[in-house]
Amino acid sequence: MIVRRRWTAAATTAILFSAVLSHPAPGTAAPADPAPPITLGATETALVRVQLRDQAQLDRLVAAGADLANRPRARDGRILADLVLSGTQLAELTAQGAKAVQVVQRAGDGSRHHAESVRAAQARTAAGLRAPAAGQRTTAAAAVDTLQVQQAYWWTTSGQTFLQAQVATTATDDPDVEITVSWRTADGATGSFPLYRFEDSGEYQYHYNLPQPVPNRPVQLTASSSLGGVSRVVTPTFWPNTTPPPLPAGYQKDFIDAYLTPTDIQARIKRLARQYRDLVDVIDLPNKTQGYRRNAVAYLGDPAVAAVVVESVRFGDQGMNGVQVRTVDPGRRNRPLTVRYRDRVLTVSLATDTAGKTVSTTDEVAAAINARQPNRFRATVEDGSTGLPMPVAGPARLDDGLQGTEVPARPWTVQALRLGVHRDGSRVGVLAYSQEHAREWATPLVTLEFAERMLANARTDPATRELLEQVDIFVIPTVNPDGANYSFNDFNMQRKNLVNHCTGAARDPKYRTSWGVDINRNYTVGSYFDGYVGASANCLSGTYAGTAELSEAESSNVIALAQAHSNIKFAMNVHSYGGYFMWPPGAYRADGRVTLPRPSIDESTLFLNSARRIVGAIAQERGTVTWPSQTGPVADVLYSAAGNSADQLYYELGIFAWDFEVGNDRWNPATNQWEGVGFQPPFDEAHGESQEYAGGLVEMVRVARDYAAAQPAA
């Protein structure tokens, strides 16, 4: 029997979010569509694609540290953002003129998808945009601007051809400039579509739109603006225009049968090391994580009336789960406030007055517990209870609130696989690592599928054997096992690790799904602590940077592995979702949008040419194409991510460091819309992502081999 402890996973709480939502933009909301509106229960949490009212609404959300899943995009002149929201937050946004257009995933869906993936495994065994506002001018003004086509690409996937364009105007300070793209196909068909202004950190970047369906191969594209500017005629380029070597007959793949928990991953690492002793080393990374553990906590009193939050100093699994706390009336006059701990019961005897009435306040009770039992307990006054009379209450049982009873409650040793014939540093090294963010369940499937392909084919495919002769491969399937365990067992939208650096009222258990550090904001280059944008000092924020650079075991492990193996020259950080392929710089300062230094021309060329190769390899599996507008430096195609791992690997250690965002949007021909797949899609989709992006990692190994071969002999 599985015992469920008292704390249940609650809706995400974003402390600053509600404050921002309480200040709606001026004006009235847009008329409602005939279709029924999408709503959530007040305490329900979901990942929702929301059409925002305007840029100002987006700016307020970003400033508040809202949980954005990827970069906001434009569609039909509207801003679309994927947000993790509670029902209350969605209702507040809707009241301000926003509109929910897709529930990508609900909190709790992940457990269902995990169960579905397990059943599938058993079956297998058996068998930043700104759009022109209404009413803006569409006729040419006296001044004529100049247009430059920055991108014009086309591709075909699932039988549908798409065209994407990116155009910049010299009228950068005019927010009302409208740009339209006109196209012609090889068979003479013509058409057009609008582009929308994209600003980032208050700086104009360009105009663009999502990929647009066209009848067949486009051969001509021009852009015109409402100011009279007209671009030169360009021929759209086929994207990515690369094809990997064909797979030989008998090539082995498809080693992924189910979503994998950290315990499952640990077992698979052990099995691979046993099965391929001549090709595998297992590296225990040096910094143990906290483990799937939390301090035990209880409300002493009624939070709706008056309460004190009492928390154990030690973790719940260290003998503190089940400890009881109570307040009592001594039943005598003129008694002082006392605190006693005996037989696993913390008893607070309230002070009384001359009439024998209890007179202790919540603040006094919390202070007394902290002063007299500092090695066992810490106490804070529950929000809204400051200065209130402390009631006689309890006994209440302390509990860590963790529901994964099958998860080991101990510090976790993160492990890396090292693959290759020559695992001695004499060959160029490649690092693939995944699940820095706990809720991204598909990402370890990618890295493990990649590892198994390399090992299984080494004995039957000469090309794979050659790669393992020439490249030294490192794989960390799960960087953040504690957060992953919490995501699988307690709150599937968990992004961060389990270390709770919050103090005071922020340690209230009602915020438990918001605790933790964002591992990919905890690195040293371009960090929040250096003044870069994209991380937070708020311990409840989804992008909380921690107490200092590399304060967390998880981030320190990634860097320790790279520092210990100086032959690593290429790295891929696998995230989800949205379909991105990115590289440094990944952060900028807000004033003037000053990024970290740009790579040299030669290095930029290597980044882009390698990206084309890898994107081409991904597309071979099921036609998935990462958009050219989402291929490039992180700070340009996603957002500023202060303190991310790729920047530290590149700028400090000289590693060509990339980022995947697996889980590309899928085109729905019935609605003519791109739809998001989420962090934990139904397993069939996650399985597809594992297959296509594993192929991309194999191509990265080929990139590393070719790079090493081109270097002059030492």
Side-chain angles (χ1 to χ4, degrees):
M1 181 179 71
I2 297 177
V3 178
R4 296 296 184 190
R5 290 177 175 162
R6 189 169 62 86
W7 298 119
T8 57
T12 290
T13 304
I15 297 306
L16 297 178
F17 193 88
S18 295
V20 170
L21 292 180
S22 66
H23 296 84
T28 57
D33 284 350
I38 294 173
T39 59
L40 304 174
T43 59
E44 183 181 6
T45 298
L47 175 61
V48 186
R49 182 157 291 181
V50 179
Q51 179 178 292
L52 298 175
R53 174 191 173 89
D54 52 24
Q55 181 71 31
Q57 189 174 49
L58 173 61
D59 292 343
R60 290 194 300 274
L61 290 171
V62 171
D67 194 346
L68 280 166
N70 49 37
R71 191 182 86 176
R73 302 166 176 173
R75 189 186 77 188
D76 302 330
R78 302 295 182 183
I79 300 171
L80 296 179
D82 290 6
L83 294 157
V84 177
L85 299 168
S86 70
T88 299
Q89 292 165 346
L90 177 59
E92 291 175 359
L93 271 178
T94 302
Q96 296 173 21
K99 174 187 172 185
V101 297
Q102 181 193 358
V103 176
V104 180
Q105 180 187 345
R106 297 177 187 269
D109 281 356
S111 298
R112 175 171 58 82
H113 296 331
H114 182 212
E116 288 173 354
S117 76
V118 172
R119 288 195 294 271
Q122 293 169 341
R124 286 168 181 264
T125 302
L129 298 166
R130 179 175 290 171
Q136 290 178 354
R137 67 180 182 274
T138 57
T139 58
V144 178
D145 59 339
T146 301
L147 302 183
Q148 180 186 15
V149 178
Q150 296 180 335
Q151 285 187 357
Y153 290 104
W154 70 277
W155 63 91
T156 299
T157 181
S158 301
Q160 175 64 61
T161 300
F162 295 95
L163 173 64
Q164 185 163 50
Q166 185 173 294
V167 178
T169 174
T170 54
T172 58
D173 294 332
D174 187 342
D176 297 332
V177 176
E178 299 175 3
I179 295 179
T180 301
V181 161
S182 299
W183 50 264
R184 180 171 62 83
T185 64
D187 60 359
T190 60
S192 64
F193 55 85
L195 301 183
Y196 303 104
R197 181 181 177 91
F198 171 54
E199 291 184 3
D200 191 26
S201 193
E203 301 282 335
Y204 171 75
Q205 302 300 306
Y206 44 75
H207 282 65
Y208 97 119
N209 202 338
L210 301 183
Q212 299 295 303
V214 294
N216 53 50
R217 176 172 63 92
V219 296
Q220 182 176 301
L221 180 145
T222 57
S224 60
S225 84
S226 56
L227 296 180
V230 178
S231 75
R232 65 183 180 86
V233 178
V234 300
T235 301
T237 303
F238 181 57
W239 175 265
N241 201 25
T242 61
T243 303
L247 296 177
Y251 187 85
Q252 300 177 70
K253 61 178 187 174
D254 198 357
F255 297 94
I256 299 301
D257 297 318
Y259 276 122
L260 301 174
T261 69
T263 300
D264 299 330
I265 291 169
Q266 198 173 60
R268 185 166 295 213
I269 288 173
K270 185 176 181 180
R271 190 260 293 169
L272 291 175
R274 183 175 64 250
Q275 186 174 351
Y276 300 99
R277 297 180 187 276
D278 57 326
L279 296 174
V280 173
D281 291 331
V282 176
I283 302 172
D284 289 341
L285 299 183
N287 305 291
K288 290 181 182 291
T289 70
Q290 171 182 291
Y292 181 68
R293 305 192 294 177
R294 277 190 168 165
N295 306 86
V297 63
Y299 287 115
L300 180 57
D302 182 353
V305 181
V308 169
V309 178
V310 180
E311 179 185 11
S312 64
V313 171
R314 292 186 298 172
F315 293 117
D317 69 291
Q318 295 176 310
M320 299 307 292
N321 281 329
V323 166
Q324 298 182 69
V325 56
R326 61 177 186 152
T327 54
V328 298
D329 181 345
R332 298 171 62 187
R333 295 178 296 174
N334 296 320
R335 305 308 299 171
L337 177 65
T338 63
V339 176
R340 182 183 68 181
Y341 181 68
R342 187 172 67 186
D343 298 332
R344 290 174 51 81
V345 178
L346 176 67
T347 300
V348 179
S349 182
L350 302 175
T352 57
D353 61 13
T354 55
K357 179 183 177 182
T358 60
V359 293
S360 299
T361 66
T362 52
D363 304 72
E364 291 167 343
V365 168
I369 292 171
N370 291 330
R372 297 166 197 176
Q373 290 289 330
N375 296 325
R376 289 193 178 96
F377 304 98
R378 50 180 162 247
T380 55
V381 179
E382 208 276 331
D383 229 7
S385 295
T386 300
L388 296 179
M390 185 69 206
V392 174
R397 289 185 176 274
L398 273 65
D399 193 277
D400 60 16
L402 298 174
Q403 300 184 67
T405 54
E406 75 284 2
V407 180
R410 61 172 183 266
W412 195 281
T413 299
V414 179
Q415 292 182 312
L417 286 162
R418 186 176 190 177
L419 319 177
V421 175
H422 306 284
R423 303 183 301 279
D424 56 7
S426 63
R427 303 295 192 268
V428 64
V430 168
L431 168 62
Y433 58 111
S434 50
Q435 208 169 28
E436 280 185 325
H437 292 147
R439 63 193 178 193
E440 298 170 6
W441 292 5
T443 61
L445 309 187
V446 173
T447 50
L448 283 170
E449 171 70 20
F450 159 64
E452 293 232 30
R453 286 189 190 185
M454 298 303 297
L455 294 171
N457 290 289
R459 294 168 184 163
T460 58
D461 173 33
T464 300
R465 182 72 184 188
E466 180 187 24
L467 287 176
L468 287 178
E469 287 273 2
Q470 297 176 342
V471 182
D472 194 0
I473 299 171
F474 300 82
V475 179
I476 311 175
T478 179
V479 171
N480 179 10
D482 300 346
N485 277 321
Y486 192 73
S487 180
F488 272 103
N489 291 281
D490 299 88
F491 181 64
N492 64 308
M493 290 295 178
Q494 177 76 8
R495 172 183 169 95
K496 304 183 285 183
N497 70 0
L498 282 195
V499 178
N500 183 6
H501 291 298
C502 290
T503 57
R507 295 186 73 91
D508 190 313
K510 68 184 177 184
Y511 302 133
R512 60 192 174 277
T513 58
S514 297
W515 293 332
V517 175
D518 183 345
I519 300 306
N520 205 32
R521 300 296 184 273
N522 190 235
Y523 295 89
T524 67
V525 174
S527 75
Y528 166 83
F529 304 98
D530 295 329
Y532 285 81
V533 173
S536 174
N538 175 9
C539 69
L540 299 175
S541 166
T543 57
Y544 175 50
T547 57
E549 295 170 349
L550 294 181
S551 62
E552 307 307 297
E554 295 88 347
S555 53
S556 298
N557 279 331
V558 174
I559 300 307
L561 180 68
Q563 288 175 332
H565 301 91
S566 59
N567 63 320
I568 295 176
K569 296 301 179 187
F570 294 84
M572 184 68 75
N573 186 4
V574 184
H575 284 271
S576 75
Y577 67 102
Y580 292 80
F581 192 108
M582 302 173 292
W583 54 85
Y588 54 71
R589 297 179 187 272
D591 294 339
R593 199 182 178 278
V594 178
T595 69
L596 289 163
R598 297 279 175 171
S600 68
I601 293 176
D602 288 344
E603 289 189 340
S604 295
T605 300
L606 183 148
F607 274 126
L608 181 57
N609 289 345
S610 301
R612 286 176 177 268
R613 289 178 57 176
I614 296 169
V615 169
I618 293 166
Q620 290 300 296
E621 180 67 29
R622 54 175 184 167
T624 297
V625 175
T626 297
W627 306 343
S629 65
Q630 296 187 173
T631 302
V634 175
D636 295 342
V637 304
L638 185 63
Y639 43 53
S640 180
N644 70 83
S645 55
D647 280 346
Q648 184 170 0
L649 293 176
Y650 174 66
Y651 292 103
E652 279 195 356
L653 300 179
I655 295 170
F656 293 106
W658 286 296
D659 301 273
F660 277 156
E661 290 277 353
V662 311
N664 303 51
D665 277 15
R666 316 304 294 177
W667 177 253
N668 185 338
T671 62
N672 285 330
Q673 303 292 350
W674 293 100
E675 297 180 348
V677 298
F679 300 112
Q680 300 139 21
F683 179 70
D684 284 350
E685 167 61 26
H687 174 263
E689 293 169 17
S690 74
Q691 300 306 299
E692 62 194 359
Y693 277 88
L697 290 177
V698 173
E699 186 63 23
M700 182 176 70
V701 175
R702 296 191 189 104
V703 167
R705 175 202 59 192
D706 296 346
Y707 171 84
Q711 301 308 301

